[in-house]
């Protein structure tokens, strides 16, 4: 008798509860999670544009929300999510073109994406804070 | 470019690969990703350059034709990419009847957001 699916269950994908995280798997799910977060930030971008179109009163209200400590924390999160998703996306485009598939290259590009995201987030905020200081 | 061109004749003959819109989804997600690299970087650099600026200065920037054009392109590419990405995530993790509701709601929400953003951008550009 040939074995039926009930005799021999099909293999399952890795069970994340007992699966040791690696850079590859963490960055893979991070690309999805930052994508979902950026979808929410995209809605915030539309709200910001609508407030600017509505006039100075609405714009000032939205700007004060962004300027609050929670607003700034969320904006910092947005900056990091954006750069991590951007770097992750560029890795994916390289893989789609057939490059960077060796284990060595995958880890090198992965750590580069992490380091670049942190560096670009820090750079963006330092420049922003310096320019905001000059404007006031 | 059509989805048929992206698949080999042998693959189609033996029934390999996506049965429906997988190839097109995959391709459009990457086309929008390529467009979003310069557009999102432009937006990030521009907003950082305007950090701390008052309403009048920001509006003067938003009213420039190049800003209106790039903002419209950004909104379209952004919400197209968002819809394709969220679609795959919903299809991967939601297996109940909620799946269709979420897919339709998400797609309509992305369209509504893109149109709202475009109208706001155009009102800023051409409004009184």
């Amino acid at each position: 008798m040939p074995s039926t699916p009930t005799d021999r269950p099909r293999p399952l994908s890795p069970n994340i509860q007992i699966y040791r995280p690696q850079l590859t798997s963490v960055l893979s799910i991070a690309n999805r999670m930052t994508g979902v977060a950026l979808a929410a930030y995209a809605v915030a971008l539309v709200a910001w544009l609508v407030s600017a179109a509505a006039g100075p009163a609405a714009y000032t209200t939205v700007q004060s929300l962004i300027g609050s400590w929670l607003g700034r924390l969320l904006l910092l999160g947005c900056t990091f999510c954006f750069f991590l998703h951007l770097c992750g996306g560029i890795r994916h485009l390289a893989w789609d073109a057939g490059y960077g598939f060796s284990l060595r290259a995958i880890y090198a590009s992965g750590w580069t994406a992490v380091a670049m995201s942190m560096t670009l987030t820090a750079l963006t905020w330092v420049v922003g804070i310096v320019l905001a200081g000059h404007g006031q | 470019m059509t989805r048929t061109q992206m698949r080999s004749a042998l693959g189609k003959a033996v029934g390999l690969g996506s049965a429906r819109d997988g190839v097109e989804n995959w391709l459009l997600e990457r086309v929008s990703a390529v467009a979003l690299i310069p557009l999102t970087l432009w937006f990030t650099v521009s907003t950082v350059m305007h950090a701390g600026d008052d309403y009048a200065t920001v509006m003067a920037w938003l009213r420039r034709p190049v800003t209106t054009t790039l903002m419209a392109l950004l909104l379209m590419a952004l919400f197209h990419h968002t819809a394709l990405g969220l679609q795959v995530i919903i299809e991967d993790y939601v297996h109940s009847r909620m799946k269709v509701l979420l897919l339709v709601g998400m797609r309509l929400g992305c369209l509504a957001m893109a149109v709202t953003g475009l109208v706001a951008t155009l009102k800023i550009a051409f409004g009184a």
Side-chain angles (χ1 to χ4, degrees):
Chain A
M1 279 262 298
S3 63
T4 60
T6 41
D7 292 329
R8 196 167 60 84
R10 300 293 301 153
L12 298 170
S13 43
N15 199 322
I16 55 169
Q17 285 89 349
I18 56 161
Y19 202 72
R20 188 163 63 90
Q22 314 128 29
L23 181 71
T24 44
S25 60
V26 169
L27 284 182
S28 172
I29 195 64
N31 209 50
R32 285 205 155 179
M33 294 195 299
T34 52
V36 173
L38 288 166
Y41 286 116
V43 175
L45 164 66
V46 171
W48 180 80
L49 281 170
V50 168
S51 81
Y59 183 79
T60 307
T61 307
V62 169
Q63 282 297 108
S64 68
L65 285 175
I66 297 171
S68 70
W69 69 267
L70 183 62
R72 284 180 192 212
L73 194 66
L74 288 171
L75 201 57
L76 179 66
C78 177
T79 316
F80 182 70
C81 285
F82 163 62
F83 281 123
L84 195 63
H85 198 81
L86 176 73
C87 294
I90 291 170
R91 281 177 92 212
H92 271 280
L93 289 173
W95 291 329
D96 293 336
Y99 299 105
F101 275 114
S102 74
L103 204 54
R104 193 188 180 87
I106 280 182
Y107 272 87
S109 65
W111 285 118
T112 305
V114 172
M116 283 296 283
S117 311
M118 290 179 175
T119 309
L120 290 169
T121 303
L123 184 71
T124 303
W125 276 75
V126 167
V127 172
I129 288 167
V130 167
L131 287 178
H134 276 287
Q136 281 157 6
Chain B
M1 197 182 306
T2 65
R3 76 191 82 161
T4 47
Q5 286 174 312
M6 290 294 291
R7 299 179 58 192
S8 72
L10 178 63
K12 274 185 288 182
V14 299
L16 291 177
S18 168
R20 289 181 290 185
D21 308 324
V23 176
E24 199 161 20
N25 181 302
W26 183 91
L27 182 65
L28 286 174
E29 190 163 27
R30 274 133 194 93
V31 170
S32 56
V34 170
L36 282 169
I37 296 173
L39 289 170
T40 51
L41 285 173
W42 159 78
F43 181 75
T44 306
V45 170
S46 300
T47 46
V48 166
M49 298 297 280
H50 286 92
D53 282 359
D54 60 9
Y55 181 69
T57 315
V58 172
M59 286 299 274
W61 168 66
L62 284 172
R63 282 204 176 101
R64 288 171 58 196
V66 65
T67 309
T68 306
T69 307
L70 291 174
M71 191 69 81
L73 289 170
L74 172 66
L75 286 164
M76 288 194 291
L78 184 61
F79 282 104
H80 190 187
H81 190 79
T82 300
L84 293 170
L86 290 180
Q87 180 192 333
V88 174
I89 291 174
I90 292 169
E91 286 170 348
D92 277 359
Y93 302 125
V94 183
H95 305 296
S96 64
R97 278 189 187 172
M98 284 295 289
K99 184 172 113 170
V100 176
L101 277 175
L102 278 171
L103 283 172
V104 172
M106 178 278 296
R107 183 57 67 95
L108 292 177
C110 282
L111 187 63
M113 281 298 120
V115 170
T116 306
L118 282 170
V119 169
T121 304
L122 294 176
K123 182 173 184 282
I124 292 167
F126 303 112

